[in-house]
């Protein structure tokens, strides 16, 4: 079995970075990461995704809100990996979206490329720019905001 490249973030690492689990974990692998700068990740879209049962059975299309969620999760990895010492007992929560545009549909069999760029943060509020692509073509984009808050397990 091929070992991951130094610094590559694979699915088992993602499970340590994000609280999401099946069926809501929407990032499969991180291809590139630069702290407080950018991250590139991928999500392999398969017909086995549970949302395709209802969206839409005769014409399976990945819901746009889930593409945004995949970008938000990718942004969460960027933040957690950028400031790990400050993320102890914290969680990264998606708080808003702006200037969202959906450009093209995403179908089973597509490899969704998720590109997130760090824009700024102040205190616990973060702003990132997300772009999702398939085959080099932009399928969705938007500005996302999130907050780092105390994790309340209970």
């Amino acid at each position: 079995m091929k070992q991951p490249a130094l610094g590559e973030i694979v699915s088992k690492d993602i499970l340590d970075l994000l609280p999401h689990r099946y069926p809501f974990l929407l990032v499969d692998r991180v291809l590139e990461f630069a702290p407080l700068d950018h991250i590139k990740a991928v999500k392999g879209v398969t017909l086995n995704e549970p949302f395709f049962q209802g969206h839409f059975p005769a014409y399976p299309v990945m819901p746009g809100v889930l593409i945004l969620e995949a970008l938000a999760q990718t942004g969460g990895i960027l933040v957690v990996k950028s400031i790990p010492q400050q993320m102890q007992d914290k969680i990264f929560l998606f708080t808003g979206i702006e200037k969202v545009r959906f450009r093209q549909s995403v179908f089973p069999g597509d490899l969704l490329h998720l590109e997130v760029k760090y824009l700024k943060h102040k205190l616990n509020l973060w702003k990132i720019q997300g772009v999702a692509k398939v085959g080099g073509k932009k399928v969705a984009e938007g500005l996302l905001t999130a907050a780092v808050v105390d994790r309340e397990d209970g």
Side-chain angles (χ1 to χ4, degrees):
M1 183 167 86
K2 181 184 169 216
Q3 293 296 316
L6 187 61
E8 186 176 9
I9 302 167
V10 295
S11 56
K12 64 180 173 49
D13 303 316
I14 292 168
L15 292 172
D16 292 334
L17 298 169
L18 293 177
H20 306 81
R21 296 296 180 263
Y22 177 84
F24 212 67
L25 181 59
L26 300 173
V27 180
D28 292 333
R29 178 182 292 265
V30 173
L31 305 175
E32 188 176 313
F33 167 74
L36 293 176
D37 186 59
H38 74 276
I39 187 169
K40 294 181 179 180
V42 292
K43 161 72 176 134
V45 181
T46 74
L47 192 55
N48 291 325
E49 308 286 350
F51 50 80
F52 285 134
Q53 291 179 23
H55 197 270
F56 301 101
Y59 189 76
V61 177
M62 184 173 186
V65 295
L66 293 182
I67 297 170
L68 292 178
E69 176 63 28
L71 287 167
Q73 289 180 19
T74 302
I77 295 169
L78 174 66
V79 172
V80 171
K81 287 289 288 181
S82 293
I83 58 165
Q85 67 285 355
Q86 297 169 34
M87 291 301 296
Q88 296 297 321
D89 299 318
K90 303 283 186 189
I91 194 166
F92 184 78
L93 295 177
F94 188 25
T95 59
I97 54 175
E98 301 172 48
K99 300 181 182 175
V100 171
R101 296 288 179 264
F102 298 105
R103 309 279 184 201
Q104 183 175 310
S105 295
V106 176
F107 301 101
D110 286 343
L111 185 60
L112 187 63
H113 285 262
L114 306 161
E115 302 174 4
V116 172
K117 182 165 181 46
Y118 164 81
L119 296 177
K120 64 181 179 177
H121 78 278
K122 184 175 182 180
L123 301 173
N124 69 328
L125 299 175
W126 293 73
K127 189 166 212 169
I128 56 177
Q129 170 70 48
V131 176
K133 297 178 179 177
V134 170
K137 293 182 180 178
K138 196 180 291 184
V139 297
E141 63 185 322
L143 296 172
L144 297 88
T145 55
V148 174
V149 299
D150 290 332
R151 180 186 299 262
E152 296 179 17
D153 293 327

